[in-house]
Amino acid sequence: MTILRNGKKEEMMVKIGNLEASAKIMAAAVKDRLGAEVRVLTTQELEKYGLNENQGVAIGWLDPKGPLHGAGFEVGDLILGINNQPVAGVDSFVQLVTALKPNEKASILALDHKSGNTGTVLVMVR
């Protein structure tokens, strides 16, 4: 591929991959940066908390040494937003997290799965 950068033509090699492989790589990056894996909310969770279908994700796994665990998150807690941007499912969550810079503090809107209370927690991204 040829691109124009600062008035000069540059040749670049581009490798086209598939979407599934790309999604796995991005999910691994999220796991590394926040120490967590997330999942789609169940119908029961949506009803219990009065949420819409494309609103939030649930934490499915936490690294005991990861940033989310260190900030007090537990498996089953919900993440509804990051830095005032709504989380509209797993893909949305992955995009928001991969846009964060290392060592950046992210403001995470969370819902405690035990109490149903929501609040904002600052988390340092790896």
Side-chain angles (χ1 to χ4, degrees):
M1 173 176 15
T2 302
I3 62 168
L4 185 61
R5 180 179 286 161
N6 296 327
K8 296 180 183 177
K9 285 185 179 182
E10 291 185 33
E11 296 288 324
M12 301 180 96
M13 291 293 295
V14 177
K15 182 177 180 182
I16 299 173
N18 69 28
L19 186 58
E20 187 175 313
S22 176
K24 286 181 182 180
I25 291 168
M26 291 179 74
V30 168
K31 186 175 180 179
D32 182 54
R33 300 185 80 199
L34 290 179
E37 291 178 353
V38 298
R39 61 172 173 74
V40 174
L41 299 179
T42 65
T43 303
Q44 293 82 7
E45 288 168 325
L46 293 171
E47 290 173 2
K48 179 179 179 179
Y49 302 117
L51 300 172
N52 297 322
E53 189 175 324
N54 290 322
Q55 191 176 8
V57 293
I59 297 174
W61 173 85
L62 279 173
D63 176 350
K65 297 179 182 176
L68 288 183
H69 185 272
F73 283 85
E74 298 177 344
V75 170
D77 287 343
L78 278 53
I79 297 177
L80 305 175
I82 299 175
N83 290 341
N84 297 316
Q85 297 295 314
V87 171
V90 175
D91 291 341
S92 168
F93 176 79
V94 168
Q95 288 176 345
L96 290 168
V97 172
T98 55
L100 298 171
K101 296 177 178 70
N103 301 315
E104 177 180 350
K105 282 191 177 183
S107 174
I108 298 181
L109 176 60
L111 187 148
D112 182 299
H113 75 286
K114 292 180 182 174
S115 68
N117 294 330
T118 59
T120 303
V121 180
L122 286 178
V123 175
M124 180 72 74
V125 179
R126 290 194 250 199

